[in-house]
């Protein structure tokens, strides 16, 4: 019997970047456990497409903001196919109203950080504990935790302060887990998408179209969920075996300062 297929757990995988990641993982041989707070036609399409690529897919619904639900979420994710080799922290929300940071309300701050930082941190903690407790076979796939942050982990967006603060926290979180889990050979990576074509960016399409055309990034096109997925699949497959704690920009060079 050959080595088993690797298994990934992708949060927020119903559509957008999460869906692109799930598809890319399936295309590189992963079975995928899909999580999202919403179970609808889009969720079913994601599951069906993964299966259409010849891989197993399972759904574990739930909001990562619900810390009390984490034990059941993690148990179901590990039970779906017997274990997990990769956690992809993708679930996240944008601010409901963009505006002056002097007008940010505590309710908006708490809502965004509950998903984008607090929920992600404690879910990662729970998955990491379960990973460390498992006995591994010599031919088991390598393990990893990939966290999707944003270009706003470094780039200032004054009209979405709470979002930027959460993403900056994820950047540090990824490095903290990289140090803690290195001895167990669980690599941790951060991925920073730039301007990606998703439902989240759709309301600002005209503005982003202008910015891209004007050269906000050296590569003058929209990023696609598939671009992020390709990067995550490479990291989840541990194709960079001597790396951990790194941040990878998927932004067409948006992060480069040039004059």
């Amino acid at each position: 019997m050959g080595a088993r297929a690797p298994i990934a757990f992708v949060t927020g995988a119903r559509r957008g970047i999460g869906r692109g990641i799930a598809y890319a993982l399936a295309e590189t041989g992963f079975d995928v456990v899909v999580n999202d707070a919403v179970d609808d036609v889009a969720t079913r399409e994601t599951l069906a497409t993964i299966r259409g690529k010849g891989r197993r897919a399972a759904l574990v619904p739930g909001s990562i903001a619900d810390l009390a639900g984490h034990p059941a979420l993690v148990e179901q994710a590990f039970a779906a196919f017997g274990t997990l080799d990769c956690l992809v922290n993708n679930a996240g929300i944008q601010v409901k109203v963009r505006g002056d940071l002097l007008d940010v309300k505590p309710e908006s701050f708490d809502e965004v950080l509950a998903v984008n930082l607090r929920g992600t941190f404690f879910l990662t903690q729970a998955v990491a504990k379960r990973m460390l407790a498992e006995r591994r076979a010599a031919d088991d796939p390598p393990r990893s935790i990939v966290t999707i942050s944003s270009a706003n982990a470094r780039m200032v967006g004054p009209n979405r302060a709470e979002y930027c603060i959460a993403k900056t926290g994820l950047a540090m979180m990824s490095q903290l887990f990289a140090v803690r889990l290195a001895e167990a050979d669980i690599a941790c990576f951060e991925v920073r998408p730039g301007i990606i074509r998703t439902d989240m960016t759709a309301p600002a399409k005209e503005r982003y179209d202008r910015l891209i055309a004007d050269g906000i990034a050296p590569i003058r096109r929209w990023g696609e969920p598939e671009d992020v997925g390709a990067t995550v699949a490479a990291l989840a497959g541990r194709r960079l075996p001597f790396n951990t704690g790194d941040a990878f920009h998927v932004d067409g060079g948006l992060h480069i300062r040039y004059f």
Side-chain angles (χ1 to χ4, degrees):
M1 181 180 295
R4 64 170 175 80
I7 302 162
F9 179 36
V10 185
T11 66
R14 167 174 163 262
R15 60 184 184 179
I17 289 175
R19 173 185 276 181
I21 291 168
Y23 289 175
L25 288 167
E27 288 163 4
T28 55
F30 278 81
D31 294 327
V32 185
V33 181
V34 168
N35 159 263
D36 206 281
V38 178
D39 180 5
D40 61 4
V41 173
T43 312
R44 298 298 160 176
E45 181 182 345
T46 299
L47 293 166
T49 302
I50 293 168
R51 292 170 184 145
K53 295 178 185 294
R55 305 312 313 173
R56 295 182 296 173
L59 175 65
V60 177
S63 171
I64 67 166
D66 176 18
L67 301 193
H70 281 189
L73 196 67
V74 172
E75 178 59 36
Q76 291 173 43
F78 273 84
F81 301 126
T83 188
L84 290 179
D85 303 296
C86 176
L87 166 66
V88 181
N89 289 311
N90 170 74
I93 61 174
Q94 183 54 272
V95 296
K96 289 180 178 176
V97 179
R98 300 190 184 204
D100 192 333
L101 66 87
L102 298 181
D103 297 326
V104 172
K105 299 295 191 292
E107 295 79 11
S108 176
F109 188 94
D110 291 346
E111 180 181 33
V112 172
L113 268 72
V115 177
N116 293 9
L117 184 57
R118 186 171 182 262
T120 301
F121 174 85
F122 284 105
L123 181 65
T124 305
Q125 182 190 73
V127 170
K129 287 180 178 179
R130 180 67 175 265
M131 284 181 165
L132 292 174
E134 286 196 329
R135 296 177 65 88
R136 302 287 287 179
D139 61 350
D140 277 342
R143 294 185 290 182
S144 60
I145 296 173
V146 184
T147 298
I148 311 303
S149 64
S150 166
N152 285 130
R154 290 291 300 277
M155 297 181 68
V156 173
N159 65 348
R160 50 191 182 280
E162 50 272 66
Y163 180 84
C164 295
I165 289 167
K167 295 301 185 178
T168 299
L170 289 181
M172 176 56 70
M173 184 199 84
S174 183
Q175 293 180 75
L176 289 166
F177 277 105
V179 172
R180 177 63 179 83
L181 301 177
E183 188 174 1
D185 193 28
I186 302 171
C188 299
F189 304 106
E190 177 198 358
V191 174
R192 298 178 180 177
I195 302 171
I196 308 297
R197 195 191 312 272
T198 65
D199 291 342
M200 188 180 286
T201 53
K205 181 182 183 301
E206 290 185 6
R207 175 173 176 266
Y208 283 132
D209 282 342
R210 290 193 301 271
L211 290 171
I212 291 167
D214 290 341
I216 191 173
I219 299 178
R220 298 191 184 195
R221 70 164 175 87
W222 278 83
E224 303 292 346
E226 294 80 7
D227 294 315
V228 182
T231 300
V232 173
L235 297 174
R238 298 290 298 276
R239 296 180 207 168
L240 302 174
F242 197 48
N243 286 63
T244 192
D246 302 89
F248 293 86
H249 301 272
V250 185
D251 63 3
L254 178 66
H255 66 284
I256 301 171
R257 297 185 62 182
Y258 64 101
F259 300 92

